[in-house]
Amino acid sequence: MTDGIYRMAVTSGYVHKETVSLAGQQVRHWLKAQHYDDPGAEDGRHRIGSQAVLDCALKDRLRGAAGAKESVARWRLREFTPQGIWQTSLTISTPQAGRTWVRLDAEQLPVRGSSATKAPVPALARGLLDALAPAEGEHEGAARLHVMPTVIERGDVDEVLDELCDPDRRMPIVVASTPPRVDFEDWLAETVDPLLRGCAGLAVLYALSPSAERDFNRTLEHHRVYGGAVRTYLPGLDPAWAPEAQRHRVMARHTLDADLRRASGLLAWLPRRLAVQTPLPDALAGLPPLRSRVVTDGTAEIDGVQPGSLLVDHSEEEAHEERARAEELQEVRRWLRAAEERESQLAAEYDEQYSELREARTEVRSLRGRLADAGGPELLTSLPVVPDGNRQDPVSFAELLDRMHEFPLLAFTGDPRLTKELDDQTDHPTWVRMAWDALLALQDYAEAAVRGESGGDFRRWCENTPPDCHVFPPRKVIRDESRTVRTNGKWKGERELPVPATVSPSGKVFMGAHLRIGGGGTAPRLHYHDDCSGTGRVYIGYIGLHLHNTRTN
């Protein structure tokens, strides 16, 4: 599992030799702050504490993923605890005539039978970011990767927009906006800085000043951020394509106000995941594991190595096998990234088509009205009947819940907080519109079902919707969960949702039937229980992000 790993992979503003020197200083400062002994500058394995060893190899020439020799320097700290080994690895690699790359990994290697604890942002990461950042203008094309967010002033907007739209960008960019009538400096110090602390080294961090907000949002009209919200812009941004906006998640201000610490963790989750799953640059991929030869200055056995002993060097054949496995993993990462990008593109295309379909239906209603006003009933008979569209669509999931009373045969029994959290995920309206269409169709179905005229369940109804009723795509209606979900205790429990005692004495039923809201395999879901043959209602137990299954877990 990679959920607990922290990984930073960035370019240095300096050449290899200077980068190694500056990084070495930061490693020594970091170890000293943890009250470890100074390891000195020699290669090898050093015992620096009663339960800690540091491996160093600072002058290697290794063959990387591209097959060429690279200058490589590496440090690896292992700290031994009853829960497992905390391992922090730092690698600096520079291919011939290439940029110097810095990779920092931190993870817990748990004892057998236990799960790993999520690694926090290492203090070493913050020191490296400060030390290795290039002076302004010295490293053209490099992202402004800093520990704390950089303020976007009005004159910076064009440069930031170029960075956002850079087709070669690897890292997400997080932009925090400012609420109205709030002191900007106080907002930065009290909210934005602690909120973005968990993204250090994982994303490019910006704070949008009030003076720059209008120009920024005017250009990114489909990808705006404002009112104290925070938006994560993924690589591959297309500012001209509205449906694509849902890829770039928005965290609303009320989420920050409710629990800033929780919001910080939620915000860092996606950059952490991308950092581990994104293919490494060639300069860092395919390097063999660090092998230390000598144990120095120790009296106790640590990690199974006696003081002064030699570790057996791996043969060239073993090193080749390790490199091949690393290259295979790198290729899997590329496939995964390409598949996720394709899924996002298809989901956006579907949402765009769905929006166009709704607009076409609205136009049909309008034309029918004009024909009726013009006295053309004979023409009306040749057109399909489209349900009345006088109801105004909601603009948020919060409004959708407030208007549930408009559906007398539907009852929402779920947690409204989970539904309203969808408003934090994206400001794209397709999810809300599709959920609203689902409610309209469920209401029409329930009215027919209580009369015994539905002709089957909701899926069958959607496949044969009467011409005067609201339609919903039948392929988005799932009659039940898979056997894997039904037999997994945790996943099944998530789908045991509230209903009145008149439906089930236990107050809950398993709601395997659900609707897919939006495109993509992990889009939001609406889980429901059809009790039209009993109490005469449809109970909606959940509207929210996809519950856990084999894919989302």
Side-chain angles (χ1 to χ4, degrees):
M1 295 295 288
T2 59
D3 293 349
I5 299 176
Y6 172 91
R7 174 171 296 165
M8 178 179 78
V10 298
T11 55
S12 170
Y14 301 91
V15 298
H16 183 83
K17 185 176 180 179
E18 292 175 323
T19 301
V20 173
S21 176
L22 291 168
Q25 294 175 19
Q26 291 302 316
V27 169
R28 288 191 291 274
H29 292 327
W30 173 59
L31 295 175
K32 183 178 180 180
Q34 299 182 80
H35 307 290
Y36 287 137
D37 298 335
D38 189 334
E42 296 296 323
D43 283 5
R45 171 165 289 183
H46 310 273
R47 180 178 176 183
I48 59 174
S50 61
Q51 294 296 322
V53 292
L54 180 74
D55 294 318
C56 304
L58 307 184
K59 301 175 183 178
D60 280 349
R61 292 281 293 172
L62 301 174
R63 194 175 301 279
K69 287 286 187 177
E70 302 176 10
S71 299
V72 180
R74 294 187 285 187
W75 296 260
R76 182 181 64 203
L77 173 66
R78 285 181 168 176
E79 302 168 279
F80 300 85
T81 71
Q83 293 76 34
I85 302 173
W86 278 101
Q87 177 171 287
T88 307
S89 305
L90 173 62
T91 300
I92 297 171
S93 179
T94 308
Q96 291 179 348
R99 292 188 296 175
T100 296
W101 281 88
V102 179
R103 171 182 174 180
L104 178 66
D105 282 16
E107 61 182 314
Q108 185 196 45
L109 309 176
V111 296
R112 184 175 299 174
S114 61
S115 57
T117 301
K118 185 175 77 172
V121 178
L124 179 58
R126 306 181 194 281
L128 290 169
L129 288 173
D130 286 338
L132 300 180
E136 193 70 29
E138 284 187 5
H139 197 44
E140 185 177 357
R144 299 178 184 178
L145 198 63
H146 299 298
V147 176
M148 306 305 288
T150 301
V151 175
I152 303 175
E153 301 290 359
R154 190 170 185 178
D156 304 322
V157 169
D158 289 343
E159 183 179 350
V160 174
L161 291 174
D162 288 343
E163 186 180 337
L164 282 166
C165 301
D166 183 353
D168 298 324
R169 175 161 64 91
R170 297 180 67 254
M171 302 182 77
I173 294 177
V174 179
V175 179
S177 64
T178 306
R181 298 178 297 278
V182 169
D183 183 82
F184 182 55
E185 296 299 329
D186 291 345
W187 175 251
L188 283 180
E190 298 171 7
T191 302
V192 176
D193 289 350
L195 174 71
L196 302 185
R197 198 178 304 276
C199 295
L202 305 170
V204 181
L205 309 178
Y206 285 114
L208 186 60
S209 69
S211 64
E213 183 176 296
R214 179 176 296 180
D215 290 345
F216 184 88
N217 287 326
R218 181 185 297 116
T219 303
L220 294 179
E221 59 174 326
H222 304 306
H223 303 73
R224 297 178 299 162
V225 60
Y226 54 89
V230 182
R231 190 157 200 164
T232 302
Y233 295 93
L234 299 181
L237 173 70
D238 184 349
W241 193 21
E244 192 261 355
Q246 65 176 327
R247 291 179 55 235
H248 311 281
R249 297 184 176 183
V250 177
M251 178 174 286
R253 182 191 175 184
H254 67 76
T255 303
L256 280 57
D257 293 339
D259 188 337
L260 188 60
R261 183 174 180 179
R262 176 176 177 272
S264 179
L266 290 173
L267 190 67
W269 177 84
L270 183 57
R272 286 181 72 106
R273 174 175 168 268
L274 291 175
V276 175
Q277 293 186 352
T278 298
L280 290 166
D282 289 342
L284 295 172
L287 297 177
L290 173 60
R291 303 291 177 183
S292 183
R293 296 187 178 184
V294 183
V295 178
T296 64
D297 192 25
T299 57
E301 179 180 341
I302 297 179
D303 195 20
V305 181
Q306 295 286 355
S309 67
L310 295 178
L311 297 181
V312 179
D313 287 337
H314 281 250
S315 66
E316 182 63 28
E317 181 180 354
E318 290 174 318
H320 177 75
E321 291 178 354
E322 289 171 346
R323 191 178 302 114
R325 285 195 295 270
E327 291 172 357
E328 182 180 0
L329 179 60
Q330 182 81 340
E331 189 65 20
V332 171
R333 288 195 183 105
R334 291 193 183 98
W335 290 340
L336 174 62
R337 188 64 177 270
E340 289 182 336
E341 290 175 353
R342 179 59 177 160
E343 181 189 32
S344 296
Q345 181 183 5
L346 290 173
E349 290 174 355
Y350 177 88
D351 290 344
E352 183 176 38
Q353 292 167 1
Y354 187 78
S355 298
E356 291 174 354
L357 175 62
R358 295 181 93 253
E359 290 173 2
R361 289 174 181 159
T362 301
E363 185 176 3
V364 169
R365 284 195 294 266
S366 175
L367 291 173
R368 287 180 59 83
R370 290 171 62 184
L371 282 171
D373 293 341
E378 68 285 352
L379 294 176
L380 285 175
T381 59
S382 65
L383 290 174
V385 179
V386 180
D388 177 44
N390 291 331
R391 286 198 236 199
Q392 189 73 26
D393 290 348
V395 297
S396 68
F397 282 96
E399 182 186 347
L400 181 146
L401 291 181
D402 289 340
R403 294 175 58 183
M404 282 298 301
H405 64 275
E406 298 181 23
F407 306 97
L409 297 186
L410 308 183
F412 179 74
T413 62
D415 186 343
R417 178 180 56 86
L418 299 177
T419 304
K420 293 176 182 177
E421 283 181 355
L422 291 175
D423 291 328
D424 298 339
Q425 300 298 318
T426 175
D427 65 356
H428 193 270
T430 303
W431 286 357
V432 180
R433 290 201 301 263
M434 191 171 290
W436 185 250
D437 286 349
L439 297 180
L440 292 168
L442 279 168
Q443 174 66 26
D444 288 346
Y445 161 76
E447 291 174 358
V450 295
R451 298 193 305 266
E453 301 172 358
S454 63
D457 62 7
F458 184 58
R459 171 69 181 255
R460 179 65 62 85
W461 172 268
C462 292
E463 292 171 345
N464 302 278
T465 305
D468 58 343
C469 293
H470 298 88
V471 299
F472 189 78
R475 290 187 178 183
K476 288 192 168 292
V477 183
I478 312 301
R479 286 189 168 105
D480 200 0
E481 293 285 10
S482 66
R483 182 177 180 275
T484 303
V485 171
R486 295 196 308 271
T487 56
N488 182 294
K490 178 182 177 182
W491 298 346
K492 180 181 178 182
E494 290 181 352
R495 292 156 175 83
E496 291 176 345
L497 298 163
V499 291
T502 52
V503 177
S504 173
S506 67
K508 288 186 177 181
V509 296
F510 177 74
M511 296 192 187
H514 61 274
L515 312 179
R516 294 203 302 262
I517 306 299
T522 57
R525 297 295 191 261
L526 182 155
H527 286 258
Y528 68 95
H529 174 68
D530 182 356
D531 197 48
C532 290
S533 61
T535 58
R537 305 187 83 182
V538 174
Y539 297 91
I540 299 170
Y542 179 82
I543 305 175
L545 291 175
H546 197 311
L547 296 171
H548 289 97
N549 65 4
T550 53
R551 183 168 188 177
T552 60
N553 206 42

